[in-house]
């Protein structure tokens, strides 16, 4: 494996970390204060920094470092992750992504922007420190969160019935010294075997630490197994260090910087423990510090020196402390755990849950990375297999008139197997739409910044799965649409307030499965489409005649025409007039449809309906004018044999069919596709009642139904071009090509939109 | 490949000659993927008259162009004796229906005469020159031009 391959893996992981980072930040933004979320965010940035360091990507490292420092402030509760802070952080995540991309693909990043953000991040990280310094002279600050929970927690823990656990005194010792300058830190350092495996030495780390100030060390040998079961290469010892230093926590952590991932490290202010002490009715106990370096039995002796009440209370508290310590050991999360006084609050109630969660996380389904090309090749092969199997069945049926049952049974099993293989292979490509949705949140932030609007993006159903190709091709049209929604759809905050709406606009992005397709909805609560303006614009641009009588729906759909933009001033975000027609075309290229419904004053909803996969389709095979066509099964509501009495002529050329007393326009597929010159006699054919995305039913006239079959979709565009009215092609059992009908286009054509002009529009665009 | 490379260095090229409606044409052998017999094509709606439809070429959908009709001559009436030249045109693969493949020629650039002036714009657009081989006239065809512009752009 050469360096480039390793680098490629690093960048792949970066992408995952960035996604993790963003989703974590968004969770925080929504008010999630779970420490694990903060930790996940921190870890993501840290991993990127670590990897980038290994590859000498200095820009990335330096930015990630500043970001990490600020995140650390959040992690240690020194910085409240409020909206403003998160706004900066989300932007930083964007810049981090840019830097990562730049590092991978070359290219440049907006230096000014990243410098600006570095400043903002540093300001956030430091902003808290001056304040702390201001408080310091008065008394050693007890961090805000600590006093309240701790007293409550101590009794709670005993109430929960925790068994007293072997008590390490140094935990307690930290509580003892009242606030002294400089600060006393309590450090738990538990190396993992990897630390030694990588050539680090705990002694050296401890020696470095001792240079920072006055230090007492206690070695916790509890983990040491019996001699017989000692693994000479494993790490068993932990050190509990009490360090009195005038340097900050940062300098302590920097000692462990290179070992951080191979050990558990807790750095806490001794003050955290002092705080609850003040609340409890307990006097500081005089204590022989030298005893702390002794073995654990010393605790008995220490206890005797104290008066009864104090001892009891202390015991309760010790339980809490050691319970917390035990919990954090179990969780292997010392890195992430906070001061025991803090964590015992959660430890009492949540340690079990956390342990379970941790287990679940570590037992997560194993995954492998596979090159997409390999999957595609497999899918293509399976497609061929399905066709071949169909051809085989057909020729057996043709040649074998007496119907040997064993062959037929074998074929049937083969058919089931191939279908199962196909489903499984398709499932490999199915991916949640989450990554695309996440990318959109960034787009929203950027556009909101540029336009000075305040926008909230709400996403739903981001775990909806759909074929990878669909996901990949979804990003571009979605970006266009999101931009449009924010730029044109939403009003400025002033206008919104004037209209009695929340100044913050909402853009809602929803994905869901509906009848074998994925439906993606993009809704904004903006002003809706100004139909007068659209109409006028369409007239100005010669898209419609001045006196054209259009329904609201038709006017709304005008925005999908090429060269149409209603924005008064052309912005660099959207409004070049290439937006919506491009969107429509890319959605159509995916075999999808797009629709808009708009309510003036209440916003617009764009609905996109896309196939779950671009590879197979359940279809009804029909005959039209001696041609074999496939109609997607999803579109068909019912099939019926029309009777002469049910057919009614309407005007010169239109015909309606009455179905249970409602009239439905009859569409001759052969005529619309120009397969025959005159309309067929409906009584001789079969009518397929179809429902189109645009609403409304139509009865499609075909000559006969051959059967129902799963077909492999073959692209017409690859070697030919898009054909209006035809969605794609497929290969039938006899080896011939059959065309798959684009029901929506046919229905639209029957409404008077000719199939031809649309093609010329597409070609012109 | 080495053969073709040698030809390139010596300024020679190989051409496949075929007959359509009594005339002879040729295309560069490098653009020809394979030659196969006629199989019935599935008609395409709203297609130009010369577009016969599409056939299945080992799982791919291959559009078939009636070369005779494309040149504005009498449309072919395909029989089993007709031949489809499967050719690569830019990123697409298409089939050309011709009467028969007649020859494989190795010529040098000097053998190719410029298209005579009298030809109409239409013919000139896809004719890259003419060759005089053993008293016959063979027209060198530029396949890119055989396909209408918009179609390739829209695709």
């Amino acid at each position: 494996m050469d360096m480039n391959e390793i680098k490629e893996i690093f960048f792949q992981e970066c992408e995952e970390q960035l996604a993790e980072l963003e989703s974590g930040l968004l969770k925080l933004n929504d008010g999630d204060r779970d420490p694990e979320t903060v930790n996940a965010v921190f870890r993501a940035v840290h991993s990127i920094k670590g990897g980038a360091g290994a590859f000498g990507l200095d820009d990335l490292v330096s930015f990630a470092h500043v970001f990490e420092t600020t995140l650390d402030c959040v992690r240690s509760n020194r910085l409240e992750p409020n909206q403003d802070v998160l706004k900066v952080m989300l932007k930083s995540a964007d810049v981090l992504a840019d830097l990562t991309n730049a590092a991978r693909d070359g290219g440049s990043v907006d230096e000014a922007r990243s410098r600006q953000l570095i400043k903002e991040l540093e300001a956030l990280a430091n902003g808290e420190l001056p304040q702390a310094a201001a408080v310091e002279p008065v008394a050693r600050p007890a961090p805000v969160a600590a006093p309240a929970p701790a007293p409550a927690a101590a009794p709670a823990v005993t109430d929960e019935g925790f068994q007293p656990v072997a008590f390490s005194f140094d935990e307690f010792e930290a509580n003892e010294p009242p606030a002294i300058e400089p600060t006393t830190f309590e450090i738990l350092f538990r190396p993992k075997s990897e630390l030694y495996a990588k050539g680090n030495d705990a002694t050296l780390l401890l020696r470095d630490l001792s240079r920072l100030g006055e230090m007492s060390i206690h070695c916790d040998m509890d983990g040491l197994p019996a001699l017989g079961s000692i693994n000479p290469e494993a790490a068993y010892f932990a050190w509990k260090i009490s360090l009195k230093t005038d340097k900050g926590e940062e300098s302590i952590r920097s000692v462990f910087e290179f070992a951080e991932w191979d050990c558990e490290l807790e750095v806490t202010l001794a003050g955290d423990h002092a705080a609850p002490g003040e609340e409890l009715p307990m006097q500081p106990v005089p204590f022989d510090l030298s005893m702390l370096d002794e073995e654990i039995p010393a605790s008995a002796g220490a206890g005797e020196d104290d008066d009864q009440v104090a001892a009891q209370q202390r015991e309760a508290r010790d339980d809490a402390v050691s319970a917390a310590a035990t919990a954090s050991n179990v969780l292997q999360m010392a890195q992430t755990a906070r001061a025991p006084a803090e964590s015992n609050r959660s430890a009492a109630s949540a340690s079990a849950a956390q342990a379970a969660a941790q287990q679940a996380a570590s037992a997560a389904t194993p995954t492998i990375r596979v090159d997409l090309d390999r999957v595609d090749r497999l899918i293509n092969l399976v497609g061929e297999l399905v066709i071949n199997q169909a051809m085989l069945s057909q020729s057996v049926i043709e040649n074998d008139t007496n119907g040997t049952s064993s062959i037929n049974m074998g074929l049937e099993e083969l058919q089931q197997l191939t279908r199962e293989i196909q489903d499984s292979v398709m499932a490999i490509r199915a991916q949640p739409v989450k990554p695309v949705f996440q990318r959109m949140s960034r787009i929203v932030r950027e556009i909101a910044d540029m336009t000075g609007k305040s926008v909230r993006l709400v996403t739903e159903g981001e775990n909806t799965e759909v074929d990878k190709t669909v996901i990949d091709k979804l990003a571009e049209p979605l970006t266009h649409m999101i931009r449009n929604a924010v730029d044109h759809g939403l009003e400025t905050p002033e206008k919104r307030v004037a209209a009695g709406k929340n100044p913050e606009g909402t853009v809602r992005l929803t994905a869901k499965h509906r009848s074998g397709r994925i439906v993606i909805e993009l809704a904004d609560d903006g002003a809706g489409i100004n139909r007068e303006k659209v109409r006028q614009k369409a007239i100005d641009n010669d898209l419609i005649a001045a006196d054209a009588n259009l329904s609201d729906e038709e006017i709304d759909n005008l925005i999908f025409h090429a060269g149409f933009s209603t924005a008064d001033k052309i912005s660099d975000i959207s409004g070049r007039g290439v937006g919506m027609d491009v969107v429509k075309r890319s959605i159509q290229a995916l075999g999808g449809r797009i629709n808009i419904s708009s309510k003036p004053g209440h916003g617009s909803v764009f609905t996109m309906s896309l196939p779950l996969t671009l590879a197979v389709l359940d279809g009804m095979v029909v005959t039209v004018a001696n041609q074999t066509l496939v109609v997607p099964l999803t579109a068909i509501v019912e099939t019926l044999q029309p009777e002469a009495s049910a057919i009614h002529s309407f005007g010169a050329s239109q015909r309606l069919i009455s179905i249970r007393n409602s009239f439905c326009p009859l569409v001759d597929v052969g005529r619309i596709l120009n397969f025959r010159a005159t309309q067929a006699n409906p009584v001789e054919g079969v009518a397929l009642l179809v429902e189109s995305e645009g609403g409304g039913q139509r009865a499609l006239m075909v000559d006969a139904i051959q059967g129902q079959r799963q077909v492999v979709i073959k692209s017409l565009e690859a070697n030919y071009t898009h054909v209006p009215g035809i969605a794609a092609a497929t290969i039938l059992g006899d080896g011939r090509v059959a065309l798959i009908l684009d029901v929506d286009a046919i229905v639209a054509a029957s409404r008077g939109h000719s199939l031809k002009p649309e093609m010329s529009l597409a070609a012109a665009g | 490949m080495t053969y073709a490379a040698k030809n390139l260095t010596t300024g020679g090229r190989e051409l496949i000659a075929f007959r359509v409606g009594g005339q002879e044409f040729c295309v560069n052998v490098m653009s020809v993927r394979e030659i196969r017999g006629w199989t019935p094509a599935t008609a395409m709606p709203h297609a130009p008259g010369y577009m016969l439809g599409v056939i299945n070429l080992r799982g791919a959908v291959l559009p078939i162009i009636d070369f005779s009709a494309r040149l504005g001559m009498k449309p072919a009436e395909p029989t089993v004796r007709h031949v489809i030249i499967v050719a690569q045109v830019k990123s697409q693969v298409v089939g050309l229906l011709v009467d028969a493949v007649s020859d494989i020629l190795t010529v040098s650039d000097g053998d190719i005469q410029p298209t005579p002036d009298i030809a109409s714009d239409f013919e000139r657009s896809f004719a890259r020159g003419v060759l005089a081989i053993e008293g016959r006239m063979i027209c060198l065809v530029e396949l890119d031009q055989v396909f209408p512009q918009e179609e390739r752009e829209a695709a």
Side-chain angles (χ1 to χ4, degrees):
Chain A
M1 197 182 264
D2 64 19
M3 200 62 176
N4 279 337
E5 277 176 62
I6 301 173
K7 216 166 172 175
E8 193 45 47
I9 292 174
F10 162 65
F11 283 123
Q12 276 173 11
E13 281 171 358
C14 269
E15 247 166 57
E16 282 163 23
Q17 303 285 6
L18 285 167
E20 185 104 330
L21 167 66
E22 180 151 358
S23 71
L25 286 174
L26 289 173
K27 261 196 228 162
L28 291 174
N29 207 12
D30 290 342
D32 185 344
R33 288 289 177 270
D34 185 354
E36 195 37 54
T37 312
V38 183
N39 287 323
V41 167
F42 182 84
R43 271 198 303 272
V45 177
H46 189 92
S47 314
I48 292 175
K49 180 179 118 177
F55 292 106
L57 305 168
D58 296 335
D59 287 352
L60 198 52
V61 175
S62 56
F63 188 83
H65 180 74
V66 178
F67 195 1
E68 187 187 9
T69 313
T70 312
L71 278 171
D72 194 44
C73 293
V74 176
R75 192 169 73 155
S76 55
N77 276 357
R78 278 178 285 145
L79 182 62
E80 166 66 20
N82 58 27
Q83 297 283 331
D84 294 332
V85 172
L86 282 165
K87 210 169 159 191
V88 176
M89 294 210 164
L90 281 164
K91 272 192 216 159
S92 309
D94 294 346
V95 169
L96 197 63
D98 287 347
L99 284 165
T100 314
N101 287 340
R104 172 171 50 195
D105 309 326
S108 60
V109 284
D110 189 346
E111 294 250 345
R113 189 169 175 218
S114 67
R115 269 202 302 274
Q116 169 66 21
L117 273 169
I118 286 183
K119 268 195 210 124
E120 282 179 40
L121 284 171
E122 277 170 346
L124 282 179
N126 298 329
E128 202 55 23
L129 295 177
Q131 273 177 32
V135 182
E136 209 149 11
V138 186
R140 180 63 221 148
V144 204
V157 167
T158 31
D159 289 351
E160 298 270 352
F162 265 93
Q163 293 300 311
V165 188
F167 164 46
S168 342
F169 251 80
D170 35 38
E171 288 278 2
F172 179 52
E173 176 243 12
N175 298 342
E176 283 306 300
I180 314 164
E181 295 290 344
T183 327
T184 304
F185 286 96
E186 186 184 309
I187 302 157
L188 174 71
F189 170 49
R190 185 184 295 275
K192 297 179 189 162
S193 310
E194 290 88 0
L195 181 100
Y196 299 107
K198 287 179 186 167
N200 275 316
D201 189 341
T203 323
L204 295 175
L205 291 170
L206 293 174
R207 194 179 295 160
D208 280 351
L209 205 56
S210 71
R211 293 199 187 110
L212 293 175
E214 195 181 315
M215 181 168 87
S216 68
I217 303 178
H218 169 79
C219 179
D220 177 2
M221 291 179 283
D222 291 354
L224 195 65
L227 192 59
S229 52
I230 282 184
N231 173 357
E233 298 200 349
Y236 295 110
F237 294 159
W239 284 271
K240 292 176 179 171
I241 303 144
S242 165
L243 176 69
K244 207 194 290 181
T245 174
D246 50 1
K247 311 250 177 12
E249 181 180 336
E250 204 51 39
S251 52
I252 297 177
R253 288 205 179 266
S254 70
V255 168
F256 294 96
E257 190 168 17
F258 295 103
E260 200 172 349
W261 296 103
D262 301 317
C263 70
E264 293 171 31
L265 185 66
E266 278 181 34
V267 182
T268 44
L269 270 181
D272 288 9
H273 298 267
E278 287 156 17
E279 301 281 322
L280 289 172
M282 184 185 77
Q283 296 305 309
V285 183
F287 201 75
D288 182 1
L289 284 180
S290 66
M291 294 181 77
L292 293 170
D293 294 333
E294 305 279 308
E295 274 305 300
I296 289 163
S299 66
E304 281 162 21
D305 289 342
D306 301 333
D307 71 78
Q308 206 72 22
V309 181
Q312 272 173 6
Q313 278 164 346
R314 209 179 59 209
E315 205 176 340
R317 211 149 46 82
D318 296 345
D319 288 349
V321 168
S322 43
T326 319
S328 61
N329 288 350
V330 167
L331 294 171
Q332 295 276 303
M333 293 200 310
Q335 269 237 357
T336 61
R338 278 193 262 117
E342 265 274 323
S343 60
N344 64 13
R345 171 174 47 152
S346 55
S349 57
S351 65
Q354 279 189 357
Q358 191 74 11
Q359 258 177 359
S362 59
T365 2
T367 54
I368 52 164
R369 280 177 213 280
V370 181
D371 200 5
L372 200 56
D373 284 348
R374 292 191 193 186
V375 178
D376 284 348
R377 207 165 64 210
L378 186 63
I379 286 176
N380 276 340
L381 282 174
V382 171
E384 296 302 306
L385 180 70
V386 170
I387 292 171
N388 245 306
Q389 176 262 321
M391 286 168 75
L392 185 64
S393 301
Q394 193 149 338
S395 59
V396 166
I397 291 163
E398 275 166 10
N399 296 322
D400 179 54
T401 40
N402 50 1
T404 322
S405 58
S406 64
I407 293 181
N408 281 337
M409 268 171 61
L411 272 176
E412 222 153 84
E413 265 170 42
L414 180 67
Q415 187 176 353
Q416 278 179 6
L417 269 177
T418 41
R419 184 138 193 165
E420 227 165 275
I421 293 174
Q422 194 167 30
D423 287 349
S424 322
V425 171
M426 291 305 160
I428 296 178
R429 286 198 60 121
Q431 302 273 317
V433 292
K434 198 171 179 180
V436 178
F437 276 25
Q438 271 178 353
R439 249 190 278 172
M440 293 309 131
S441 64
R442 170 175 183 177
I443 308 272
V444 167
R445 279 200 300 279
E446 286 181 352
I447 308 293
D449 263 10
M450 278 190 227
T451 54
K453 292 174 185 174
S454 163
V455 188
R456 198 162 65 97
L457 178 74
V458 182
T459 55
E460 276 169 35
E462 49 205 359
N463 287 324
T464 314
E465 285 194 340
V466 65
D467 192 277
K468 180 94 171 67
T469 346
V470 179
I471 292 181
D472 291 347
K473 294 189 177 163
L474 206 54
E476 202 195 310
L478 259 188
T479 309
H480 263 301
M481 289 169 67
I482 293 254
R483 286 180 170 175
N484 266 310
V486 178
D487 197 23
H488 301 323
L490 295 177
E491 317 93 319
T492 55
E494 300 83 55
K495 277 193 193 158
R496 289 184 65 88
V497 172
K501 293 194 219 174
N502 184 345
E504 187 184 53
T506 306
V507 174
R508 187 177 295 273
L509 193 56
T510 321
K512 57 189 172 215
H513 283 149
R514 202 167 66 196
S515 58
R517 291 173 79 86
I518 182 170
V519 175
I520 294 176
E521 254 180 34
L522 177 73
D524 65 67
D525 63 347
I529 286 181
N530 186 341
R531 298 211 171 94
E532 266 318 298
K533 210 159 137 192
V534 169
R535 200 193 147 87
Q536 193 52 49
K537 187 96 179 180
I539 294 170
D540 293 350
N541 289 2
D542 282 339
L543 290 173
I544 55 169
D547 55 353
N549 183 16
L550 296 177
S551 68
D552 284 355
E553 189 199 336
E554 282 171 316
I555 296 179
D556 290 349
N557 279 298
L558 281 175
I559 64 163
F560 291 116
H561 272 279
F564 196 93
S565 175
T566 58
D568 291 329
K569 58 172 197 272
I570 289 182
S571 61
D572 56 347
I573 307 155
S574 53
R576 285 177 302 268
V578 292
M580 294 317 280
D581 64 309
V582 173
V583 168
K584 185 170 187 179
R585 254 196 292 156
S586 24
I587 297 288
Q588 277 176 340
L590 283 173
R593 321 181 255 269
I594 182 164
N595 243 353
I596 175 169
S597 72
S598 181
K599 239 170 137 186
H602 291 87
S604 320
V605 182
F606 288 89
T607 311
M608 280 167 284
S609 154
L610 296 157
L612 287 180
T613 159
L614 301 180
V616 283
L617 171 118
D618 275 306
M620 189 172 278
V621 185
V622 299
T623 314
V624 176
N626 295 326
Q627 299 287 336
T628 305
L629 292 174
V630 178
V631 186
L633 215 51
T634 46
I636 301 176
V637 181
E638 65 175 286
T639 60
L640 45 114
Q641 196 98 46
E643 288 175 22
S645 59
I647 311 290
H648 307 275
S649 288
F650 187 74
S653 60
Q654 297 296 313
R655 282 171 303 176
L656 303 180
I657 181 170
S658 74
I659 300 163
R660 291 180 288 274
N661 280 333
S662 67
F663 293 97
C664 183
L666 201 59
V667 180
D668 184 351
V669 176
R671 185 71 200 92
I672 278 213
L673 292 181
N674 229 356
F675 281 157
R676 56 182 157 223
T678 54
Q679 292 205 333
N681 182 2
V683 184
E684 287 168 8
V686 182
L688 311 176
L689 196 61
V690 296
E691 186 137 19
S692 76
E693 194 66 21
Q697 294 189 331
R698 288 286 189 281
L700 297 188
M701 275 296 310
V702 300
D703 296 352
I705 293 177
Q706 289 182 20
Q708 201 175 308
R709 176 174 301 170
Q710 189 176 49
V711 296
V712 177
I713 299 174
K714 295 284 176 182
S715 159
L716 264 182
E717 281 92 343
N719 287 330
Y720 186 44
T721 171
H722 176 69
V723 181
I726 301 297
T730 185
I731 292 159
L732 292 181
D734 59 2
R736 287 196 57 175
V737 178
L739 302 177
I740 301 172
L741 220 54
D742 182 347
V743 171
D744 286 325
I746 299 282
V747 169
S750 74
R751 281 208 186 114
H753 309 285
S754 165
L755 283 172
K756 273 277 181 188
E758 204 169 328
M759 181 168 85
S760 64
L761 257 184
Chain B
M1 273 304 179
T2 50
Y3 186 56
K6 198 178 81 192
N7 269 337
L8 279 179
T9 50
T10 57
R13 56 169 98 185
E14 270 194 298
L15 305 169
I16 287 191
F18 52 91
R19 266 201 314 276
V20 176
Q23 299 184 21
E24 264 192 290
F25 299 88
C26 61
V27 292
N28 192 332
V29 79
M30 294 310 291
S31 61
V32 176
R33 286 270 204 89
E34 67 180 273
I35 294 165
R36 51 169 297 152
W38 162 254
T39 43
T42 303
M44 302 292 294
H46 302 295
Y50 56 81
M51 179 59 66
L52 287 173
V54 288
I55 64 164
N56 166 23
L57 181 74
R58 289 184 303 279
V61 176
L62 184 76
I64 305 296
I65 285 173
D66 179 349
F67 194 69
S68 169
R70 178 72 187 106
L71 297 191
M73 303 192 289
K74 197 164 69 84
E77 283 159 24
T79 64
V80 283
R81 303 188 55 182
H82 278 75
V83 171
I84 292 170
I85 298 179
V86 181
Q88 175 98 36
V89 180
K90 300 225 166 119
S91 62
Q92 298 188 320
V93 180
V94 293
L96 278 185
L97 180 79
V98 300
D99 291 353
V101 170
S102 53
D103 215 341
I104 293 181
L105 314 163
T106 308
V107 299
S108 68
D109 283 350
D111 296 337
I112 302 170
Q113 305 171 18
T115 316
D117 229 3
I118 48 158
S120 72
D121 283 349
F122 179 67
E123 268 102 19
R124 278 177 67 90
S125 66
F126 56 79
R128 269 298 123 90
V130 289
L131 292 152
I133 306 281
E134 296 161 10
R136 297 175 292 163
M137 188 204 74
I138 301 176
C139 174
L140 177 61
V141 174
E142 182 64 60
L143 282 180
D144 283 11
Q145 301 298 323
V146 173
F147 303 95
Q149 199 69 28
E150 339 48 92
E151 273 179 29
R152 274 187 292 128
E153 275 193 0

